[in-house]
Amino acid sequence: MGSPAWCWALRAARFPVGGGRAGRALRSGPSGGFAACAAPFADSASSSSRDEALRDKRARILSRGLPKQKPIAGVKQVVVLASGKGGVGKSTTAENLMRPLKNYGITCMSMGFLIEETAPVVWRGLMVMSAVEKLLRQVDWGQLDYLVIDMPPGTGDVQLSVSQNIPIAGAVIISTPQDVALLDARKGAEMFRKVHVPVLGLVQNMSVFQCPKCKHETHIFGADGVRDLAKTLGLDILGDIPLHVNIRETCDSGQPVVISQPQSDAAKAYLKIAMEIVRRLPSPPV
């Protein structure tokens, strides 16, 4: 009872009924043929033992070749977060806050710290947005008076995402005096105005080169391009930074010029710009 029965039908011409055990197992079918039926399994206990043996055999086969579990050194318990679908917030839920690097009292976090040094960042819009969100909200910034965001070139997804997702006290436009750079600088200033971010002013970088031997000054990228753009836009010039080999050398060595050569003209130019930016910022909210 409870076990399936199996049946088959045979035509008389192909399977004549004879005596013996075969004849006793067959009975006449409704259409002149013959039907044979096997009774349900009589021994349900033996069927159960066979099923259990099959399960054991299957488990042994599946376990072949699997690595032996080894605990992770220093980890007491492991918890996994999973989902059948991407983009539902697994990473945001799983991760702790990232700790930024700190040097000379300044904390810094960059996507460059999270990828290999020679690896290019070839990302589409959604991945860029996710990275920006992590850098803004999943870094342990602590208590800061000012967070300075180094924007990538252009006026695309990153600029719009940052402008729309966090309150920005002000933007600073940096450009060299050459015409090609000034075109992009103007687009940047107009973009911030469209998203209602106040532009604090412009910085003219690499404004003049002074020969270290004869002290002759040369305007390699032009003389006053950024100043002219500032007048057109009705903005202020926050300062000029010269094109000087010391700036490049000190940056490459990890000793910024304002630390390694605080009395130099280049260091004074940077400090003047910083003071001008702070002076133009609105009062922070209480």
Side-chain angles (χ1 to χ4, degrees):
M1 295 296 292
S3 298
W6 47 271
C7 300
W8 70 86
L10 300 174
R11 291 192 176 276
R14 294 193 177 185
F15 201 147
V17 178
R21 298 176 65 184
R24 290 194 299 272
L26 298 175
R27 62 181 175 82
S28 176
S31 302
F34 296 90
C37 295
F41 292 114
D43 192 351
S44 60
S46 62
S47 175
S48 176
S49 63
R50 284 194 298 268
D51 291 343
E52 185 176 355
L54 287 174
R55 285 195 297 268
D56 293 341
K57 183 177 181 180
R58 187 181 299 111
R60 289 195 302 271
I61 293 174
L62 292 176
S63 64
R64 292 175 184 173
L66 293 179
K68 185 179 179 181
Q69 289 185 339
K70 297 180 181 179
I72 301 174
V75 177
K76 293 182 179 180
Q77 292 179 315
V78 177
V79 179
V80 298
L81 274 70
S83 173
K85 185 181 182 302
V88 297
K90 295 189 298 297
S91 299
T92 302
T93 305
E95 293 176 2
N96 294 322
L97 292 179
M98 294 183 288
R99 292 184 178 178
L101 302 183
K102 191 170 185 177
N103 201 12
Y104 302 112
I106 302 295
T107 55
C108 180
M109 175 55 74
S110 169
M111 285 306 301
F113 301 157
L114 306 178
I115 61 176
E116 296 203 10
E117 186 175 349
T118 59
V121 181
V122 187
W123 291 353
R124 293 186 181 274
L126 291 177
M127 295 182 68
V128 173
M129 300 302 177
S130 177
V132 170
E133 185 69 15
K134 284 179 170 56
L135 290 177
L136 292 176
R137 304 191 187 279
Q138 296 185 31
V139 173
D140 186 9
W141 291 114
Q143 299 297 318
L144 296 179
D145 293 323
Y146 310 103
L147 176 64
V148 180
I149 300 176
D150 178 13
M151 292 283 199
T155 56
D157 292 342
V158 174
Q159 288 78 5
L160 291 176
S161 179
V162 172
S163 302
Q164 294 171 354
N165 283 280
I166 59 173
I168 300 177
V172 176
I173 305 297
I174 302 177
S175 179
T176 57
Q178 66 190 112
D179 292 341
V180 175
L182 293 171
L183 291 174
D184 290 336
R186 180 165 189 168
K187 292 178 182 178
E190 296 293 352
M191 185 274 294
F192 283 116
R193 283 177 167 176
K194 285 186 177 180
V195 294
H196 308 293
V197 172
V199 180
L200 304 179
L202 280 73
V203 173
Q204 181 164 263
N205 195 16
M206 306 180 190
S207 59
V208 62
F209 172 74
Q210 186 182 69
C211 178
K213 293 184 179 181
C214 67
K215 305 302 180 183
H216 176 71
E217 293 186 348
T218 303
H219 295 88
I220 296 177
F221 298 106
D224 294 311
V226 177
R227 293 185 179 277
D228 294 338
L229 177 61
K231 292 178 182 178
T232 302
L233 297 175
L235 297 171
D236 295 330
I237 286 287
L238 302 177
D240 287 80
I241 302 173
L243 177 61
H244 202 288
V245 67
N246 286 351
I247 298 176
R248 194 271 303 167
E249 289 177 345
T250 56
C251 287
D252 288 347
S253 65
Q255 300 283 330
V257 69
V258 293
I259 298 295
S260 58
Q261 302 174 17
Q263 300 303 319
S264 64
D265 292 339
K268 292 177 181 179
Y270 280 112
L271 294 174
K272 175 182 178 297
I273 291 170
M275 290 187 290
E276 289 293 331
I277 292 173
V278 172
R279 189 172 66 85
R280 286 169 167 75
L281 286 172
S283 300
V286 179

